[in-house]
Amino acid sequence: MPAASPVQDTAAFGLRVLLEELDAQGVEPRDVLRRAGLRTLKGQLTQPQRLALLKAASEAASDPLTALKAGQRQRVHHFGVYGFALATSPTFGDAFAFGRQNLELAGAVLRITYRQDGTTGVLRSHNPGALGSLLPFTAEFWRSSMVTLLSEILEQPF
């Protein structure tokens, strides 16, 4: 019986799409996991493990759009129970509020705040300095992921 692919696990808080995108570029997912000091994406990942995987993915990427493309691969079900709670919220506002209040469940590596400015909602990432040179890749990945997930929840472009 062949070994299970490390990309098949859905409990990886949306990070599996990075491995899928890199695999599409010809980069072996197991090599990226090994660089990050991981064997699989099964179970909970600690913050340092998430950052190690983001760093390994960034270093392995040959396409400068890798993080954006990976974010476009996101689906609500990649986030397990967290994603299910978002998808089954009675309104978009409820889903958005739940998502913001429980962002750590999605494996976010930045603190995100929200404020209303008239009719415009403003999302802001905090503590980006802690990411150093990993900031552009991480910001592109998570923002692309957010747009994709919000579009899926709305069932129209966000």
Side-chain angles (χ1 to χ4, degrees):
M1 176 187 245
S5 167
V7 181
Q8 292 176 344
D9 183 60
T10 59
F13 304 105
L15 291 174
R16 74 185 208 133
V17 296
L18 281 170
L19 296 179
E20 290 173 358
E21 180 59 35
L22 289 168
D23 191 35
Q25 294 176 23
V27 177
E28 178 60 45
R30 280 187 173 76
D31 291 342
V32 179
L33 289 170
R34 190 173 25 259
R35 284 184 192 177
L38 301 168
R39 291 180 47 162
T40 69
L41 288 182
K42 292 183 179 179
Q44 290 268 28
L45 295 181
T46 65
Q47 186 82 334
Q49 288 172 321
R50 287 191 292 272
L51 291 172
L53 182 58
L54 287 163
K55 183 177 189 294
S58 174
E59 292 170 351
S62 59
D63 182 345
L65 300 177
T66 296
L68 295 171
K69 289 178 178 179
Q72 291 172 347
R73 291 175 176 265
Q74 292 290 18
R75 296 298 171 262
V76 170
H77 70 271
H78 292 162
F79 291 86
V81 174
Y82 176 82
F84 181 74
L86 292 174
T88 59
S89 293
T91 68
F92 176 76
D94 291 335
F96 189 78
F98 174 84
R100 246 183 341 113
Q101 291 166 355
N102 297 284
L103 202 53
E104 72 283 352
L105 296 175
V109 294
L110 294 172
R111 189 173 59 87
I112 298 173
T113 58
Y114 172 79
R115 70 177 169 81
Q116 192 77 28
D117 187 6
T119 59
T120 303
V122 179
L123 287 168
R124 185 168 179 211
S125 300
H126 299 271
N127 198 23
L131 294 174
S133 63
L134 192 54
L135 177 61
F137 186 86
T138 302
E140 288 174 357
F141 174 64
W142 286 110
R143 286 192 174 88
S144 178
S145 296
M146 286 176 60
V147 168
T148 302
L149 292 172
L150 291 172
S151 295
E152 188 176 4
I153 290 167
L154 286 171
E155 297 180 353
Q156 64 183 0
F158 176 77

